[in-house]
Amino acid sequence: MSEPSLFILYVDSPTASKDFYQDLLGLTLLEASPTFAMFRLSSGVMLALWSKHTVEPKAGQITASGEYAISVESVAMVDEYHQRWSEKGVTIIQRPQQMDFGYTFTATDPDGHRLRVLTII
């Protein structure tokens, strides 16, 4: 079975987005240029940030239509992430709350991509 090994987000500024993700998630940078940056996650899957101005083939209108989700072990950890991200000035679009699938909050990166932290309870 083939599984995804790389997720790419189209961004306005790979340099700014690289800095955002390095600071927010503590990711280790594998590669960086003015138009592209890539990180390896602890699972081995890679996260790339590609300039929406130089991606080939050209993409149509780019809108945020998905989420990067981080599953944590407890409600307390969700609240800790929320507090830490809020203190860093990250845009929070959903405050911590209980939903059908678990306890969660949602933030956005500089390009509007959604970042969800959740615990399944």
Side-chain angles (χ1 to χ4, degrees):
M1 175 188 213
S2 296
E3 294 184 4
S5 59
L6 171 67
F7 292 92
I8 301 171
L9 299 177
Y10 301 142
V11 299
D12 187 53
S13 168
T15 301
S17 292
K18 168 191 66 75
D19 293 344
F20 175 85
Y21 281 98
Q22 272 186 304
D23 179 55
L24 190 68
L25 303 177
L27 298 176
T28 301
L29 187 65
L30 285 180
E31 178 181 336
S33 74
T35 62
F36 186 83
M38 186 165 55
F39 302 96
R40 181 181 308 274
L41 307 177
S42 62
S43 66
V45 172
M46 290 184 272
L47 171 65
L49 309 165
W50 196 349
S51 170
K52 66 183 180 182
H53 308 289
T54 63
V55 65
E56 291 291 338
K58 297 263 184 244
Q61 182 178 356
I62 297 171
T63 61
S65 61
E67 295 182 349
Y68 178 98
I70 300 168
S71 182
V72 297
E73 296 175 8
S74 68
V75 168
M77 286 184 73
V78 172
D79 288 337
E80 288 171 22
Y81 269 80
H82 177 261
Q83 181 177 348
R84 188 170 49 234
W85 289 11
S86 294
E87 289 170 357
K88 288 180 178 280
V90 175
T91 301
I92 305 296
I93 60 171
Q94 176 192 34
R95 297 188 59 80
Q97 65 180 318
Q98 183 64 44
M99 298 188 71
D100 291 345
F101 57 84
Y103 188 69
T104 187
F105 79 92
T106 309
T108 61
D109 75 4
D111 291 281
H113 299 290
R114 290 177 173 219
L115 307 171
R116 180 179 299 276
V117 178
L118 71 138
T119 188
I120 299 170
I121 52 174

